[in-house]
Amino acid sequence: MTKKTWFAGMASLVIASGVLAGCSSNGNTVNTNTDTGVSPSASMPAANGEKVKLKMWGGVPPESGPQAVVDAWNKENPNIQVEYVRYVNDDEGNLKLDTAMMTGQDVDLFVNYTLSNTAKRVESGLALDLSGFTDYNIEEKMGPDSEGWKIDGKFYGVPTTKSAFFVALNKDALDAAGLEVPKDWTWNELREYATKLKSGDGYGFIQHTEPYVDPIDSVLSQDGYTKADGTSNLDHPLVKTWLETLNGMMTADGSTPPLGEQLTSKMPVEQEFLSGSVPMLNIGAWLLRSSNNFTDFPRDFQIAFAPVPRLTEQASDYTTRGGLGDYISINAKSKNQAAAWEFLKWYADGGMAPMTSGGRLPASKDADQAVALDNLLGDKADTYDLDSLMYVMFENEAPTYVRSLPKEVMDMRAQEYEKYFLGAQSIDDTLAKMVERHNEYLKQNK
């Protein structure tokens, strides 16, 4: 059986079992009427003197922090041993994780990276309701942003990191062009920067595809993905602004790669930035994992940081993606839930410190942030503009949102805007098709 055939078969299995059941993006509400038959108090760790073995699944390469985390725990906790299993955080990798849990493979803890995937797993009875544990106050520990991760008013995981998304800047290139490091700017201003910074046939700005659509989700997470009458809001005026701005940068300015070129070439955007070829990069805090690695990504310039630009005219109306992330759940079917809970509390309150070298700062108020910053920068602190780094990581007071749009709608939306960026569809037709397909989805998922 080929790999492609195997995954197709697994997809059918998962769909049949409800893992891909629709979830609401309004109020984080799903059908959570599931009974796992396992109490959170079950399997108290090492109660009978036997060793408990836990498996934790996550999307970060083990050498980028997770292995050091579990090694530190295992050294101090001989009766509860943890093994880290890496899955790639893409469609295929998430399917692999869901299938492993559905088929009874060993998964005790797992990391969710989007609210959409979390909600599907809650709907399917794969994530444990943590309200049965009363010795750890998640909201008190993680602050008010944790509220965004509740589903039906309950926590089905612990958000463990402060997430930051930003535009990384080659400060040497900015200085040479006489440009300031911005703390508040618009996409039109970024477009001007990109034009001034491009050199010859090169680009002035590049994006990682993961946060590509964050500007419109910043708007719609506040104004609503649906209008007051319940129909799609994907033709919001600022969606059109985003499309036209990026397309102008691709075609008229030549300051950012055409999307088609980026997708077909699988452009290594981090390498393009860290090599000095492109001076601005829209990305998340995982950039630090590569920018601290001078062996694979040597560089001779200082990196500065700016918030992701806003589409809104008023700064007071702007929200930025971020808040809390790395939402770690306990498998509702795990036989070692109490032991998993002990590890999860330790991880969240500072055990995750080795993860900070990859840009993952602990969210818990009880974690030692000084240690986290030391791990984040290591001996490379002088290669960063620390004032701007501190601003995007800690000081930017713009409200944050967690993307909750169902995966099906995200895929549909991408299919239509890709046609526009490829020149195969007009902007008006693109907006109309996104609305039409979104409305069809809404009707089917009432």
Side-chain angles (χ1 to χ4, degrees), residues 211-226:
Y212 204 84
V213 294
D214 285 358
I216 56 176
D217 284 326
S218 168
V219 172
L220 297 177
S221 65
Q222 303 306 301
D223 292 357
Y225 289 98
T226 57

Side-chain angles (χ1 to χ4, degrees), residues 24-39:
S24 168
S25 61
N26 184 9
N28 302 347
T29 301
V30 298
N31 176 14
T32 57
N33 185 23
T34 55
D35 182 7
T36 65
V38 182
S39 166

Side-chain angles (χ1 to χ4, degrees), residues 181-200:
V181 177
K183 287 189 174 181
D184 171 47
W185 57 340
T186 65
W187 276 94
N188 283 336
E189 290 171 321
L190 178 141
R191 184 175 180 178
E192 293 173 4
Y193 268 54
T195 301
K196 292 177 181 177
L197 289 169
K198 74 183 297 289
S199 177

Side-chain angles (χ1 to χ4, degrees), residues 72-88:
W73 167 271
N74 289 342
K75 182 178 179 181
E76 298 297 326
N77 296 274
N79 290 330
I80 305 174
Q81 295 289 285
V82 180
E83 177 185 346
Y84 180 77
V85 179
R86 198 262 173 120
Y87 76 93
V88 179

Side-chain angles (χ1 to χ4, degrees), residues 145-162:
D145 281 349
S146 62
E147 182 75 20
W149 283 97
K150 281 185 175 181
I151 295 174
D152 282 346
K154 297 179 180 180
F155 285 109
Y156 289 83
V158 178
T160 57
T161 63
K162 293 179 180 178

Side-chain angles (χ1 to χ4, degrees), residues 91 120 405-418 434 437:
D91 289 347
K120 291 174 183 176
L405 193 64
K407 183 68 166 58
E408 296 90 335
V409 180
M410 290 179 61
D411 291 344
M412 168 275 294
R413 183 175 64 177
Q415 290 163 9
E416 297 305 327
Y417 70 64
E418 285 175 11
M434 285 198 294
R437 295 182 63 183

